[in-house]
Amino acid sequence: MEWIEEDENRKRGEMVLLIHGYREPATDTLPDEATRALTILVKTLPLKKAAAATAEIYNLKKNALYKWGLENLE
């Protein structure tokens, strides 16, 4: 409103207001216990199998764990 009131010419014509839709908070964060378990399992298993085992134990998506492993381990 302040910007509009600064100049009379800004009150003329049309104005477009863009509103961003609601997005649910990101749930991409993995529990610390799961990432710790994955870190331990990777020492004895390939990342793919370690991610699958951790996903089953913690009821998480194995792709998210696999991606985290690629980005954070070694």
Side-chain angles (χ1 to χ4, degrees):
M1 289 303 296
E2 293 174 18
W3 182 80
I4 293 172
E5 292 172 355
E6 286 178 1
D7 185 356
E8 284 294 317
N9 288 323
R10 294 179 183 165
K11 294 181 183 180
R12 297 179 182 195
E14 297 177 10
M15 181 173 287
V16 176
L17 177 64
L18 299 176
I19 300 174
H20 190 279
Y22 174 77
R23 291 187 183 185
E24 290 191 26
T27 58
D28 293 344
T29 57
L30 297 170
D32 290 338
E33 300 86 24
T35 56
R36 183 170 181 271
L38 180 61
T39 303
I40 293 168
L41 288 173
V42 158
K43 293 177 183 175
T44 57
L45 295 171
L47 178 57
K48 186 175 180 179
K49 288 186 178 186
T54 305
E56 189 171 337
I57 294 167
Y58 291 97
N59 196 29
L60 298 169
K61 294 183 179 182
K62 79 176 168 187
N63 289 341
L65 288 160
Y66 184 78
K67 182 181 176 185
W68 185 90
L70 288 175
E71 295 172 353
N72 296 286
L73 301 174
E74 293 188 29

